Structure formats: structure tokens, C-alpha cells
């Protein structure tokens, strides 16, 4: 759950500040299917805060690199998460 109370956030009221993560493996499987079946190379992630769970996010990025899907993810996140993830920022780039 996002514990931030940003005044500009449009998600707080309808989702009551809740957040449910999909299984990382199902995310990778879906991205692989989109790439292989439809040639998708850019995906906008509808999750307003996909980096909330650092371990899950790092795993997804690691698997994308390993799978060599060459998919660019468009995501929204917080600046402090980017600073937090400075050690894995190379995974943020498509390979």
C-alpha cells in the first residue's frame, strides 16, 4: 500500500490507498507473450506505483534483462525510489 499522501494523487480516493501486486512471474509471462505474439516493444505500466516493493521490482527488472525481451517499460514512480535503486539503474534501460 502506498503510504504517501500526495495532494495531487488521483488514486487515493478510488483505491483507498490500497495496492495489490501481481505475481512477478505472471508479469514477465505477459510481457513475453506480448513481445513474441504481437511484437510489442513498449508497454505503459498502468500500476501507479510499480516500484513500491523494491524486491519485486528488482526481480522483474532482472528477469526482463535475463529474458532479453527488449521491451521498454513506461512507468510512474517516485524520485526517492530511483535514488533507492541507484545500484540497479542499469536494469531500468531496455537491453
Amino acid at each position: 500500500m502506498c503510504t504517501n499522501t500526495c495532494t495531487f494523487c488521483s488514486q487515493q480516493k478510488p483505491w483507498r490507498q490500497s495496492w495489490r501486486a501481481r505475481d512477478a512471474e505472471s508479469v514477465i509471462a505477459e510481457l513475453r507473450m506480448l513481445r513474441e505474439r504481437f511484437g510489442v516493444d513498449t508497454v505503459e505500466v498502468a500500476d501507479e506505483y510499480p516500484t513500491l516493493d523494491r524486491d519485486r521490482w528488482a526481480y522483474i527488472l532482472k528477469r526482463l534483462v535475463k529474458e532479453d525481451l527488449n521491451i521498454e517499460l513506461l512507468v510512474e514512480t517516485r524520485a526517492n525510489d530511483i535514488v533507492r535503486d541507484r545500484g540497479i539503474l542499469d536494469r531500468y534501460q531496455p537491453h
Side-chain angles (χ1 to χ4, degrees):
M1 168 171 61
C2 181
T3 57
N4 300 295
T5 56
C6 303
T7 57
F8 58 82
C9 182
S10 64
Q11 302 304 312
Q12 290 184 44
K13 297 283 187 207
W15 303 116
R16 298 179 186 157
Q17 286 187 289
S18 65
W19 183 81
R20 293 179 298 157
R22 280 183 57 196
D23 175 69
E25 288 299 325
S26 74
V27 172
I28 297 300
E30 185 172 348
L31 292 171
R32 183 183 321 107
M33 181 274 299
L34 290 170
R35 182 67 172 153
E36 292 173 356
R37 190 178 300 173
F38 303 107
V40 171
D41 61 1
T42 304
V43 173
E44 182 175 4
V45 178
D47 183 340
E48 286 78 18
Y49 195 8
T51 63
L52 176 65
D53 179 341
R54 190 212 189 262
D55 292 337
R56 176 180 170 271
W57 180 242
Y59 179 78
I60 288 171
L61 294 176
K62 181 179 179 179
R63 286 294 310 278
L64 284 174
V65 170
K66 183 179 178 181
E67 296 266 340
D68 195 28
L69 296 178
N70 197 27
I71 290 181
E72 182 176 21
L73 298 180
L74 306 176
V75 300
E76 293 183 21
T77 191
R78 299 181 57 83
N80 56 330
D81 285 2
I82 293 170
V83 171
R84 172 200 73 194
D85 292 347
R86 64 187 165 271
I88 61 169
L89 284 180
D90 61 314
R91 297 184 199 165
Y92 275 61
Q93 299 297 315
H95 293 82

